[in-house]
Amino acid sequence: MSLTLRTISREQHLAYIQSLPAASHMQVPAWADVKAEWRSENLGWFDERTGELVGVGLVLYRQLPKIKRYLAYLPEGPVINWFAPNLDDWIQPMLAHLKQQGAFSVKMGPPVVIRRWDATSIKKGIQDPDVKRLRDIEADFIEPRAFEVADKLRRMGWQQGEDGGAGFGDVQPRYVFQVPLANRSLEEVHKNFNQLWRRNIKKAEKAGVEVVQGGYHDLEEWQRLYEITAVRDHFRPRPLGYFQRMWSALNTEDPNRMRLYFARHNGVNLAAATMLVVGGHVWYSYGASDNIGREVRPSNAMQWRMLRDAYALGATVYDLRGISDSLDETDHLFGLIQFKVGTGGEAAEYLGEWDFPLNKLLHKALDIYMSRR
């Protein structure tokens, strides 16, 4: 297939995303409005023979201080056929185009899974003193084509970026935790939860915890819980304006794109979470909880409700987003993987983020600048 690449309208981009079973929420046109400090562009790949749109990419451009050169970023994209034998024909025109736009470096995140580990294997790994990382455990599923993609990218001159850890900061997570929903009943999903999760869901029910959906006007209450969480977990919270912009941008594009949930007890909100929906892929994207009321297990109740809602929407996967690949109990992120493993889902390793320096000198300067921040 011979391809041509050109800038497309947001409408074309959205229509293409809507024709797919799923795509990353960072590759929908409205994500550009969420990332308002970046300039954006919608790219389309066309089959020359039929004129049909066969791939899209949302590019975010961040200008370097003082000069008109840009870092071009395609988070969890582009949305193309990554297993195409002629991957070069997809990628090279994109690089040429981005260079023309003034990009000195390109960063992208191929949405390609390499390996998966199910919860049982991970639990065994946690109990084994010789196992320190996910990779020390034999994978339950391996995608051989993913290794070919990585080889092709290396041969083209792409460099594999640093691991994104659990997806805190501006790098997308390389390891995520997902609960597969396709061809499974809700009973099966619930049965797969570990004993602690099932017990906690029951405990919350008995205590009368209710889980409700909120709207734009509830984002201030979300922010209150989120900032409590940030202090407790030592991270820098995003401002309220970010979530307001996210809500407006994503739900203007599709009224069901972003949801907000609260778990409350005796009228007091104890936990909250945001959920994102693109086709059959549903993400739990941000979570927050108070320091009080933890004994009634609001977070478990909320996750179970969100998972049931995802199922009702016809989702094929409920994605709990980033985890660290460390299985060391002394690691500060270990609690996160432990919490997510309890859902009985599976850990997935993506190809991670890749960089292409179009201007080696500026790319190096950016690396130095980023490492000092």
Side-chain angles (χ1 to χ4, degrees):
M1 175 166 57
S2 352
L3 298 160
T4 49
L5 174 106
R6 60 175 182 269
T7 303
I8 56 172
S9 70
R10 285 177 69 136
E11 292 70 30
Q12 281 173 295
H13 184 150
L14 182 60
Y16 183 75
I17 294 281
Q18 284 167 336
S19 75
L20 302 174
S24 169
H25 60 277
M26 296 182 194
Q27 281 295 306
V28 300
W31 193 251
D33 302 328
V34 179
K35 297 291 172 189
E37 68 280 17
W38 300 65
R39 182 165 73 83
S40 68
E41 187 183 18
N42 308 78
L43 295 181
W45 282 259
F46 292 85
D47 180 342
E48 272 178 11
R49 213 169 29 91
T50 62
E52 190 193 351
L53 183 62
V54 289
V56 295
L58 174 69
V59 188
L60 301 173
Y61 293 98
R62 171 62 73 85
Q63 191 174 344
L64 265 188
K66 298 193 177 64
I67 56 169
K68 276 202 105 76
R69 300 302 291 278
Y70 302 87
L71 165 68
Y73 183 29
L74 294 98
E76 298 186 359
V79 185
I80 59 173
N81 178 7
W82 283 95
F83 300 133
N86 60 333
L87 192 58
D88 264 46
D89 299 350
W90 292 80
I91 302 293
Q92 296 306 350
M94 178 182 87
L95 286 175
H97 173 84
L98 298 175
K99 190 171 189 173
Q100 232 176 350
Q101 295 293 309
F104 67 89
S105 185
V106 181
K107 184 186 276 296
M108 66 177 182
V112 176
V113 170
I114 312 180
R115 303 177 183 84
R116 292 184 188 275
W117 297 265
D118 63 36
T120 317
S121 304
I122 298 169
K123 278 178 211 158
K124 277 189 198 144
I126 289 170
Q127 283 153 9
D128 182 341
D130 294 335
V131 168
K132 295 281 179 267
R133 304 203 160 268
L134 262 178
R135 286 206 181 174
D136 299 339
I137 305 170
E138 192 182 336
D140 294 289
F141 164 84
I142 288 179
E143 173 56 84
R145 295 178 302 173
F147 296 96
E148 288 174 35
V149 174
D151 281 347
K152 284 176 183 170
L153 291 176
R154 273 190 207 99
R155 284 203 296 273
M156 283 182 224
W158 288 83
Q159 300 163 3
Q160 198 154 16
E162 292 300 306
D163 272 10
F168 304 116
D170 287 333
V171 193
Q172 301 319 318
R174 179 155 182 186
Y175 296 89
V176 300
F177 205 86
Q178 301 174 337
V179 180
L181 300 176
N183 310 316
R184 297 173 75 198
S185 69
L186 267 179
E187 289 70 40
E188 278 174 74
V189 173
H190 185 265
K191 233 187 241 149
N192 245 18
F193 282 170
N194 70 11
Q195 228 178 338
L196 185 65
W197 261 83
R198 289 202 301 269
R199 211 168 44 231
N200 286 345
I201 290 168
K202 221 184 194 133
K203 205 178 207 173
E205 254 169 53
K206 255 200 176 127
V209 170
E210 53 166 345
V211 180
V212 296
Q213 266 185 260
Y216 180 87
H217 55 284
D218 298 301
L219 285 168
E220 284 183 22
E221 173 62 359
W222 147 263
Q223 192 70 16
R224 180 184 74 82
L225 290 166
Y226 173 63
E227 286 179 9
I228 290 171
T229 310
V231 171
R232 185 178 64 238
D233 294 348
H234 313 292
F235 65 84
R236 200 170 75 216
R238 289 190 182 277
L240 172 63
Y242 180 81
F243 295 102
Q244 290 174 327
R245 193 164 67 232
M246 195 171 171
W247 183 276
S248 304
L250 296 179
N251 288 338
T252 300
E253 179 174 276
D254 180 332
N256 216 8
R257 185 78 83 220
M258 180 177 176
R259 291 181 173 200
L260 177 62
Y261 288 84
F262 291 98
R264 56 172 67 144
H265 185 242
N266 296 335
V268 179
N269 292 317
L270 298 175
T274 60
M275 182 166 117
L276 300 176
V277 182
V278 183
H281 203 129
V282 170
W283 292 264
Y284 152 54
S285 67
Y286 284 89
S289 62
D290 206 329
N291 298 327
I292 58 164
R294 309 190 94 170
E295 68 288 346
V296 294
R297 306 298 176 203
S299 294
N300 298 87
M302 184 172 62
Q303 287 295 341
W304 178 225
R305 162 72 192 274
M306 288 164 72
L307 212 150
R308 293 199 317 268
D309 284 4
Y311 190 87
L313 287 169
T316 52
V317 63
Y318 180 69
D319 195 323
L320 290 134
R321 287 296 279 168
I323 51 171
S324 153
D325 71 327
S326 169
L327 298 179
D328 177 356
E329 297 191 18
T330 60
D331 190 299
H332 73 293
L333 291 172
F334 178 73
L336 192 66
I337 190 167
Q338 212 173 19
F339 177 75
K340 294 179 181 182
V341 166
T343 60
E346 54 191 27
E349 179 191 358
Y350 279 86
L351 265 187
E353 296 201 315
W354 293 70
D355 298 298
F356 193 97
L358 290 163
N359 177 319
K360 290 196 168 62
L361 199 69
L362 287 177
H363 178 81
K364 188 88 189 118
L366 178 80
D367 267 359
I368 294 166
Y369 169 71
M370 294 307 280
S371 65
R372 285 186 184 148
R373 285 179 69 184

